[in-house]
């Protein structure tokens, strides 16, 4: 739950408008992953290691409630985080670290 030394932080500017970025955080340092030549596993760090946590959690949310819109999935992901850093969204962790368990619980609770 600490920021990787290589992590980019906000704010971000687009057409002279200031945005708090990132939106959400995920584990990305020393992630045990398959090695490219099939010889085993290695520890890797970077956005490419964090992205699968977010994509996988989104897939679990959609499996838990297939009727959710893209907007609703995003809302659930952002509202079910573990807040890190200062209270609320910040330029280091966004809304916070993704929490797959809480996201799926929210998705299942929203089934009509």
């Amino acid at each position: 739950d600490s920021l990787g030394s290589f992590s980019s932080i906000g704010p971000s500017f687009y057409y002279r408008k200031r945005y708090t970025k990132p939106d959400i955080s995920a584990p990305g340092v020393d992630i045990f992953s398959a090695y490219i030549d099939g010889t085993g596993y290695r520890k890797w760090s970077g956005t490419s290691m964090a992205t699968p946590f977010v994509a996988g959690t989104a897939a679990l949310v959609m499996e838990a409630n297939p009727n959710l819109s893209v907007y609703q999935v995003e809302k659930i992901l952002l509202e079910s985080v573990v807040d890190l850093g200062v209270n609320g969204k910040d330029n280091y962790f966004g809304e916070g670290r993704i929490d797959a368990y809480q996201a799926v619980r929210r998705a299942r609770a929203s089934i009509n």
Side-chain angles (χ1 to χ4, degrees):
D1 284 349
S2 60
L3 192 65
S5 62
F6 54 83
S7 293
S8 294
I9 59 171
S12 181
F13 296 89
Y14 185 70
Y15 285 103
R16 298 184 184 162
K17 186 168 179 178
R18 179 186 172 125
Y19 295 90
T20 302
K21 292 291 178 182
D23 292 322
I24 199 165
S25 298
V29 177
D30 291 335
I31 305 300
F32 207 53
S33 182
Y35 193 60
I36 195 165
D37 68 1
T39 61
Y41 299 90
R42 305 280 193 281
K43 286 185 179 177
W44 298 94
S45 297
T47 305
S48 59
M49 295 292 103
T51 301
F53 283 98
V54 180
T57 302
L60 290 170
V61 166
M62 291 186 289
E63 174 67 23
N65 186 346
N67 297 316
L68 294 170
S69 68
V70 171
Y71 171 78
Q72 290 169 313
V73 171
E74 179 183 23
K75 187 171 190 266
I76 286 170
L77 293 177
L78 294 174
E79 290 179 348
S80 60
V81 298
V82 175
D83 194 7
L84 303 172
V86 298
N87 233 1
K89 189 173 184 180
D90 60 65
N91 285 308
Y92 296 93
F93 300 100
E95 294 289 349
R97 189 217 346 108
I98 198 152
D99 185 331
Y101 179 75
Q102 290 302 325
V104 169
R105 286 188 64 193
R106 282 180 181 257
R108 291 185 56 77
S110 66
I111 295 174
N112 294 333

